[in-house]
Amino acid sequence: VMRRNPFGMDICCRKGSRSPLQELYNPTQVSLSNTAILHQIRRDQVTDTCRANSVSSRKRRVLTPNDLKHLVVDEDHEMIYCYVPKVACTNWKRVMMVLTGRGKYSDPMEIPANEAHVSSNLKTLNQYSIPEINHRLKNYMKFLFVREPFERLVSAYRNKFTQKYNTSFHKRYGTKIVRRQRKNATQEALRKGDDVKFEEFVAYLIDPHTQREEPFNEHWQTVYSLCHPCHIHYDLIGKYETLEEDSNYVLQLAGVGNYLKFPTYAKSTRTTDEMTTEFFQNISSLHQTQLYEVYKLDFLMFNYSVPSYLKLE
């Protein structure tokens, strides 16, 4: 007996029903309208921050196709998702594969993590022509998920520099960080780059040399630079701290909330606020101040207060 996939018909083709954009700005359900107010406040915060920092943030007026490679497009539900590494982006990519797969996938958690990151499995906005890009930016619901910037940074460090299996990161970034930040480094450390300390990682991030020589890797690049919220008007800003509610709200707006729930599982290895505090214990107040400057727009834009453990100069 063939099991009928609920996504086959209903999920793929939503013609005739209201778009997520319409549902967000003119909710038909009371339950959605309360949440809509919260998201209006978040949108206003981004707009105000962009305006207040317009001198620094408006230097590049025109976005290039390369700027749009993080924006995943779902044609069927008229949504665009800007993914930010270390903010549940693997699960969101899995969900997007279910939404855009035309019935090929029904359970996000059955999709292996590495498959979710294969670029050909999802279509990104930079693959369209300029008129098509403009049409989608205007008519589709655009959303992203953000996280407390230093918690995200520690999460990236733990994942990329303390796990033995991440040899490509150790080779590409670790060796460079050791060479530049460690006095009297051993030949082995220079060759392997697999024992980078958090202090060295921070020193590398604030080093003007780094800023000049190459763009940050996406795992520690600012959300501001990955998703361009001052140039692209995001309709919905989800937060890692309220991941489940915000994600399921997006799915409700898309009209698929009855079939599809955002995957939840408690990861015991998750980077927490307490853990982040510990990592910053050994960072000098000068380096903390310089690092805060790098991520300052993300703090302001997404309404994260200055962490209490920081000793800013």
Side-chain angles (χ1 to χ4, degrees):
V1 178
M2 275 184 69
R3 232 171 93 242
R4 187 176 163 276
N5 178 355
F7 296 102
M9 298 271 300
D10 330 53
I11 212 167
C12 101
C13 318
R14 50 171 306 126
K15 296 298 161 249
S17 61
R18 286 159 60 85
S19 74
L21 207 54
Q22 292 168 324
E23 199 54 68
L24 173 67
Y25 289 107
N26 299 298
T28 46
Q29 299 170 42
V30 178
S31 60
L32 295 182
S33 56
N34 299 338
T35 316
I37 298 163
L38 165 74
H39 288 280
Q40 180 63 56
I41 293 167
R42 290 181 186 172
R43 280 194 297 275
D44 291 346
Q45 178 78 19
V46 172
T47 307
D48 294 346
T49 308
C50 291
R51 204 172 285 136
N53 295 276
S54 60
V55 184
S56 60
S57 62
R58 290 259 172 199
K59 274 192 196 122
R60 288 198 12 249
R61 280 192 185 288
V62 183
L63 294 178
T64 65
N66 195 44
D67 291 322
L68 306 175
K69 61 178 189 285
H70 273 248
L71 279 81
V72 175
V73 181
D74 173 0
E75 294 284 352
D76 295 326
H77 304 91
E78 301 187 350
M79 298 196 300
I80 295 174
Y81 160 58
C82 184
Y83 69 89
V84 178
K86 307 314 299 169
V87 193
C89 88
T90 306
N91 277 353
W92 254 113
K93 283 181 175 179
R94 285 168 163 149
V95 168
M96 292 300 274
M97 281 171 73
V98 173
L99 289 172
T100 58
R102 303 281 176 111
K104 194 172 162 190
Y105 313 95
S106 59
D107 178 1
M109 293 316 280
E110 280 176 8
I111 302 170
N114 57 344
E115 204 177 310
H117 296 293
V118 174
S119 53
S120 58
N121 282 333
L122 290 165
K123 196 160 185 189
T124 48
L125 197 57
N126 59 339
Q127 296 170 354
Y128 292 84
S129 69
I130 305 285
E132 288 172 331
I133 288 171
N134 288 333
H135 170 78
R136 280 156 186 75
L137 284 175
K138 189 173 158 212
N139 296 293
Y140 287 15
M141 183 177 86
K142 300 164 296 298
F143 69 98
L144 78 164
F145 275 77
V146 298
R147 183 178 185 176
E148 202 280 342
F150 285 169
E151 196 181 287
R152 176 175 165 245
L153 191 66
V154 169
S155 177
Y157 166 77
R158 289 178 66 218
N159 179 244
K160 299 302 170 196
F161 294 108
T162 68
Q163 304 289 339
K164 289 294 171 216
Y165 61 79
N166 264 322
T167 47
S168 61
F169 264 84
H170 302 157
K171 281 268 187 291
R172 182 163 177 206
Y173 295 100
T175 52
K176 187 186 294 177
I177 293 171
V178 170
R179 188 174 70 244
R180 218 186 282 166
Q181 307 300 338
R182 190 179 301 177
K183 292 184 176 69
N184 313 320
T186 64
Q187 283 306 307
E188 189 185 20
L190 288 165
R191 194 179 76 249
K192 284 187 169 175
D194 63 352
D195 64 343
V196 170
K197 297 182 180 70
F198 185 64
E199 297 86 303
E200 294 169 329
F201 177 52
V202 168
Y204 161 79
L205 294 175
I206 58 179
D207 186 343
H209 192 93
T210 307
Q211 305 270 357
R212 280 197 307 273
E213 147 192 292
E214 57 179 9
F216 275 8
N217 177 278
E218 60 176 19
H219 289 84
W220 48 86
Q221 180 59 281
T222 60
V223 177
Y224 163 74
S225 306
L226 287 176
C227 295
H228 313 285
C230 289
H231 297 82
I232 294 170
H233 172 80
Y234 285 92
D235 302 289
L236 199 139
I237 295 144
K239 293 201 161 190
Y240 191 73
E241 295 76 13
T242 48
L243 178 63
E244 217 177 313
E245 302 94 292
D246 292 347
S247 298
N248 288 322
Y249 178 56
V250 173
L251 297 175
Q252 265 184 292
L253 292 169
V256 298
N258 295 341
Y259 321 91
L260 187 56
K261 291 280 176 276
F262 192 76
T264 56
Y265 58 99
K267 266 177 90 174
S268 54
T269 57
R270 199 183 87 89
T271 302
T272 60
D273 186 44
E274 293 75 39
M275 217 179 270
T276 306
T277 306
E278 269 174 54
F279 272 91
F280 273 85
Q281 296 285 296
N282 300 327
I283 308 295
S284 71
S285 57
L286 174 63
H287 281 188
Q288 288 187 5
T289 306
Q290 290 172 309
L291 190 69
Y292 179 76
E293 281 304 312
V294 173
Y295 291 94
K296 186 177 176 180
L297 274 177
D298 279 5
F299 275 100
L300 296 173
M301 203 167 272
F302 307 117
N303 207 17
Y304 288 107
S305 50
V306 178
S308 55
Y309 54 78
L310 282 195
K311 307 179 284 288
L312 296 183
E313 293 202 339

